Amino acid sequence: MNSLIKLELVRALRNRKFLFFSVLYPSVLFLIIAGSSGATDKVEGTGLTVATYMMVSMASFGALTAVLMGNSERIAKEREGGWVRQLRLTTLPGRGYVLAKTASAAVVSLPSIVVVFVVAAVVKDVRLDAWQWLALTGAIWAGSLVFAALGVAIGYLATGDAVRPITMITYFGLSMLGGLWMPTTTFPQWLQDIAKWLPTHAYAALGQAIEQSRAPHAQDLAVLAVSFALFAGGAAWLYRKDTLKA
């Protein structure tokens, strides 16, 4: 399994298009959105400046890009191309393939988080305590596993031709409605009520809680836990279903 993980890492790091969208693209968006804001401009209802709020949002968005986009399309295409079937003929345990995909995506997601933090600190002069930087990195990185599980589920659900539109709709829908591109406080009230129950909203809220030096809301933790259970359970069921077909 270690050899497969190394192979997946090499493939991910060689994919320049994927690296751009998962590592550099979130930082570019951060500069576009927060670039014109003043040092004291705050997001209504949060007490956070625009720069600190969008830093967490874009770091979360970058991690989401790495684990969701990276997993779903590759798994669907490798299933269709027969690669997964070939791996089942080896001594690799069934869970090994999924773990290798998740591990490679997680490794790529870490630089996307760090790059956004560096850009925010250097360009927008965002300053936090050392423990906050470490806690933000850990929380956003660990929270990305929720969407890694979703990526695996989509990869086993969709065919090679259908996986991209399904992934893109899910990706953009969760990003926009979850408040990663703009604060949900700018939404109509009915849309804010919906956004509170989306895993992306809860995901970014973890980082915002750390920035505010407070404990995360129980609802956000519950949304993430339930989402992970549903996505992981769905991925496991679809994997077993796919194995029986083979």
Side-chain angles (χ1 to χ4, degrees):
M1 187 169 68
N2 290 336
S3 297
L4 182 59
I5 291 176
K6 291 178 182 178
L7 174 62
E8 291 297 334
L9 286 175
V10 170
R11 292 176 63 190
L13 295 174
R14 284 181 177 176
N15 190 333
R16 295 180 181 179
K17 182 179 178 181
F18 176 68
L19 286 176
F20 171 78
F21 280 102
S22 61
V23 177
L24 298 180
Y25 182 52
S27 297
V28 173
L29 281 181
F30 170 79
L31 291 175
I32 292 173
I33 298 172
S36 60
S37 65
T40 59
D41 293 346
K42 293 188 176 182
V43 176
E44 182 182 356
T46 67
L48 298 172
T49 64
V50 174
T52 53
Y53 183 96
M54 292 310 303
M55 180 184 75
V56 164
S57 294
M58 287 298 105
S60 302
F61 176 66
L64 169 68
T65 302
V67 298
L68 180 59
M69 302 293 287
N71 273 339
S72 59
E73 290 196 36
R74 286 190 195 135
I75 291 176
K77 290 179 179 178
E78 288 176 2
R79 284 175 51 234
E80 195 168 75
W83 173 242
V84 177
R85 189 178 300 109
Q86 289 295 321
L87 288 176
R88 289 196 182 109
L89 300 177
T90 69
T91 57
L92 180 74
R95 66 184 181 281
Y97 175 76
V98 174
L99 288 176
K101 290 294 184 185
T102 303
S104 63
V107 169
V108 175
S109 71
L110 183 58
S112 70
I113 298 168
V114 174
V115 169
V116 171
F117 288 172
V118 171
V119 170
V122 173
V123 179
K124 297 300 295 180
D125 199 34
V126 172
R127 294 292 180 264
L128 299 172
D129 292 336
W131 74 267
Q132 289 175 303
W133 287 116
L134 292 174
L136 279 174
T137 303
I140 296 174
W141 197 21
S144 68
L145 293 176
V146 174
F147 306 100
L150 175 59
V152 173
I154 293 175
Y156 277 102
L157 175 66
T159 62
D161 292 331
V163 66
R164 175 161 292 186
I166 292 175
T167 302
M168 294 300 284
I169 291 171
T170 304
Y171 170 66
F172 285 115
L174 287 175
S175 298
M176 290 186 289
L177 296 178
L180 299 187
W181 286 7
M182 64 184 71
T184 56
T185 52
T186 62
F187 295 173
Q189 186 58 51
W190 66 270
L191 196 54
Q192 290 185 43
D193 294 337
I194 294 174
K196 290 178 182 178
W197 296 101
L198 294 178
T200 37
H201 181 277
Y203 183 36
L206 289 183
Q208 292 158 13
I210 293 171
E211 288 181 319
Q212 295 167 333
S213 299
R214 62 170 176 81
H217 293 304
Q219 178 178 318
D220 294 325
L221 294 175
V223 168
L224 287 173
V226 171
S227 297
F228 179 73
L230 290 175
F231 297 155
W237 180 77
L238 289 166
Y239 174 79
R240 288 194 295 270
K241 183 179 178 182
D242 190 68
T243 302
L244 292 175
K245 285 183 180 179

